Amino acid sequence: LLSTHDLPRIRYNATDDTLWRTMSWTKYWDKATWILPIHRPSPCSHWVMCTIDVVSHRLFLFDSFAEERPWKQDIQVRPF
């Protein structure tokens, strides 16, 4: 599970040492599948979940509001 807790630190230029101290215990880079919670602040604040298959380079996004508020314009797809 990747935490978005450290994203503000990244945004406000935390040092690499600070980021490593707070994130290294997760060892997320060793995992084949990552789970990333994403907060969507607008137009209606809610959370979505992205499961990332690192091996196949695929994203699976679950958004309970997807039919009401499409998300496809939020993702840039780049072939590997």
Side-chain angles (χ1 to χ4, degrees):
L1 176 66
L2 295 174
S3 173
T4 55
H5 177 76
D6 288 302
L7 290 180
R9 288 187 177 106
I10 294 167
R11 182 175 183 178
Y12 295 108
N13 300 317
T15 65
D16 289 346
D17 289 340
T18 299
L19 294 173
W20 182 250
R21 187 174 54 254
T22 60
M23 297 173 68
S24 64
W25 64 273
T26 65
K27 296 191 179 192
Y28 70 87
W29 54 89
D30 288 336
K31 312 297 191 265
T33 303
W34 302 349
I35 299 171
L36 178 63
I38 302 169
H39 184 249
R40 297 200 63 197
S42 63
C44 176
S45 181
H46 73 285
W47 287 87
V48 299
M49 182 189 72
C50 183
T51 303
I52 304 159
D53 184 329
V54 177
V55 176
S56 69
H57 299 176
R58 292 171 45 178
L59 303 175
F60 301 94
L61 188 71
F62 175 77
D63 182 348
S64 59
F65 291 158
E67 289 185 17
E68 297 172 25
R69 295 173 183 83
W71 52 264
K72 289 185 181 185
Q73 71 277 2
D74 294 343
I75 297 177
Q76 293 180 2
V77 177
R78 183 183 64 145
F80 286 91

